[in-house]
Amino acid sequence: MEFIDLRSDTVTKPTPEMREAMAKAEVGDDVFGDDPTVNRLQEMAADMMGKEAGLFVPSGTMGNLAGILSHCQRGDEVILGKKNHTFLFEAGGISVLGGVHSHQLDNQPDGSLLLSDIEAAIRPDDPHDPITRLICLENTHNRCGGTVQTPEYIRQVADFAHARGLKVHLDGARLFNAAAALNVSAKELAGPVDSVTFCLSKGLCAPVGSVLCGDREFIKRANRMRKMLGGGMRQAGVLAAAGIVALEKMTKRLSEDHARARNLAEGLSENRNIILDAGTPATNMIFFNLAPGVKLSTSQIEEKMKTKGILVHASGERRFRLVTHYWIDDKAVDKTVAVFADVLQ
Ligand code: TLP
């Protein structure tokens, strides 16, 4: 059965054009810097982010990890949101592998951090304290609803950080979704920060990979980190080729996914057993809770939906996240609304 897969945009398979580009890709040993396709992807990515250099990494997790470890020494502290992906879902890598301490702040409902909270979290120069080094932001903010952070907000945090000798890393796994939703360039969103990771393998449909961008010195350090973490890939041009198609073509169509997410939310809003989060969807993610009367557990719902050809994934007790992407068309949206009406009657 061909499933309608709404569990994440990470499930996207490469497009036929990507597969063709992958088959034809010129390759070399990228650890020697010899892969022309990887080099081209890295240059394109850096240019789109307004940075000097880029580094192709296997995943968003490795991009964030290599980035944070390139900013911080062991015992340094990073300020980040309690709902940030790096804090929640990256296996604690910054602490386990980097000895980096995390200082977690409450995210505001839109995913942002209050400047007053950041200010209060900055450590004094005292031997009892770790050294505050870095602030991490996330855009779009996954756990806060796929919400967008504006260029003004990012500039404000970056100016604030730089005035205090701190750096800013942006987890921009879905930065192009934020750019599409705000109708601004990715450069406007990433320009003010010191480093940014964005993913090719989510809404942009490439099979594997993310790019970490920053200045040349930073990327030189990150390249060593990537090697240490086992992410030095060899003939990675076959993957980078799909990434180039992702940047050239797929970044331009993300508003279609956002429109379908809005249609899906509108359809689901008719279902009295579904309580949509206020304002959802901000981009390509819909979050909702089950109404108190629903007797089925989330795993029973997942199972019933699956037997009818739809894959959904609970994101909490009595809570779901649905994600639209390239492989979700209008028919899939209509079918999902109808199947939810049937399963949750
Ligand atoms: N997010 C995945 C899961 O890990 C939750 C998803 O389905 O959304 N930053 C952000 C904001 C992310 O959402 C993700 C993946 C990552 C980083 C990590 O990327 P990968 O999976 O490439 O390591």
Side-chain angles (χ1 to χ4, degrees):
M1 191 193 308
E2 191 63 31
F3 285 102
I4 294 170
D5 196 343
L6 293 158
R7 291 173 300 170
S8 183
D9 47 10
T10 59
V11 303
T12 46
K13 293 180 180 154
T15 63
E17 190 179 352
M18 285 178 179
R19 290 186 189 264
E20 201 181 320
M22 292 170 81
K24 290 186 182 149
E26 257 189 85
V27 296
D29 189 329
D30 180 51
V31 175
F32 290 121
D34 281 352
D35 191 302
T37 313
V38 171
N39 291 341
R40 178 147 173 256
L41 171 70
Q42 291 176 165
E43 278 162 27
M44 279 176 73
D47 185 51
M48 288 172 96
M49 295 292 135
K51 301 291 171 222
E52 286 176 3
L55 186 72
F56 186 43
V57 288
S59 66
T61 300
M62 192 184 286
N64 288 333
L65 180 57
I68 293 170
L69 300 197
S70 301
H71 284 299
C72 298
Q73 302 291 316
R74 295 183 73 78
D76 284 353
E77 189 167 74
V78 46
I79 296 173
L80 82 184
K82 279 180 191 163
K83 293 188 177 169
N84 280 28
H85 194 276
T86 299
F87 178 63
L88 288 178
F89 301 127
E90 295 175 16
I94 60 170
S95 313
V96 178
L97 302 171
V100 176
H101 200 239
S102 67
H103 197 138
Q104 309 118 38
L105 304 181
D106 286 326
N107 290 97
Q108 299 306 297
D110 68 354
S112 65
L113 303 176
L114 292 179
L115 287 189
S116 54
D117 287 347
I118 298 176
E119 174 103 76
I122 296 173
R123 303 283 189 160
D125 183 10
D126 182 307
H128 293 86
D129 291 74
I131 297 166
T132 307
R133 185 75 64 193
L134 181 70
I135 299 168
C136 286
L137 301 178
E138 187 174 312
N139 202 11
T140 64
H141 201 291
N142 185 344
R143 265 286 147 143
C144 290
T147 45
V148 296
Q149 312 298 310
T150 63
E152 295 73 30
Y153 167 73
I154 293 170
R155 162 79 55 201
Q156 211 184 10
V157 175
D159 288 349
F160 180 91
H162 296 153
R164 288 156 182 79
L166 307 177
K167 303 281 187 192
V168 181
H169 173 74
L170 176 61
D171 175 356
R174 297 182 181 83
L175 194 68
F176 287 100
N177 290 86
L182 291 163
N183 204 16
V184 299
S185 66
K187 203 180 275 192
E188 281 172 78
L189 294 168
V193 302
D194 301 282
S195 59
V196 56
T197 303
F198 71 89
C199 295
L200 298 161
S201 62
K202 300 192 166 60
L204 301 184
C205 275
V208 177
S210 297
V211 189
L212 173 64
C213 298
D215 69 30
R216 263 189 208 93
E217 275 309 305
F218 169 83
I219 290 298
K220 203 170 149 198
R221 294 198 300 279
N223 191 16
R224 175 171 281 115
M225 287 299 166
R226 181 184 70 172
K227 192 76 190 73
M228 192 196 293
L229 297 169
M233 299 178 284
R234 301 292 178 176
Q235 286 71 32
V238 285
L239 300 173
I244 290 170
V245 177
L247 288 183
E248 284 176 339
K249 300 278 167 70
M250 307 306 278
T251 51
K252 300 191 171 70
R253 57 153 306 284
L254 294 170
S255 47
E256 290 175 34
D257 300 339
H258 301 174
R260 289 204 177 90
R262 285 196 295 275
N263 292 343
L264 179 53
E266 203 181 303
L268 296 175
S269 70
E270 310 276 309
N271 190 323
R272 67 190 162 80
N273 288 315
I274 287 178
I275 303 170
L276 293 169
D277 282 11
T280 198
T283 49
N284 66 333
M285 296 179 180
I286 296 163
F287 283 84
F288 66 82
N289 289 314
L290 298 171
V294 176
K295 295 282 178 288
L296 296 171
S297 68
T298 49
S299 51
Q300 285 170 324
I301 293 167
E302 284 173 0
E303 212 33 60
K304 283 182 182 282
M305 296 292 292
K306 189 174 175 184
T307 58
K308 293 174 192 291
I310 300 181
L311 300 177
V312 295
H313 187 54
S315 69
E317 217 189 318
R318 304 185 66 75
R319 187 163 172 76
F320 282 90
R321 180 192 73 165
L322 309 180
V323 187
T324 57
H325 51 74
Y326 182 74
W327 297 103
I328 302 297
D329 59 13
D330 293 333
K331 251 174 69 186
V333 168
D334 293 343
K335 180 168 171 187
T336 304
V337 172
V339 172
F340 263 116
D342 185 29
V343 168
L344 294 180
Q345 52 183 320

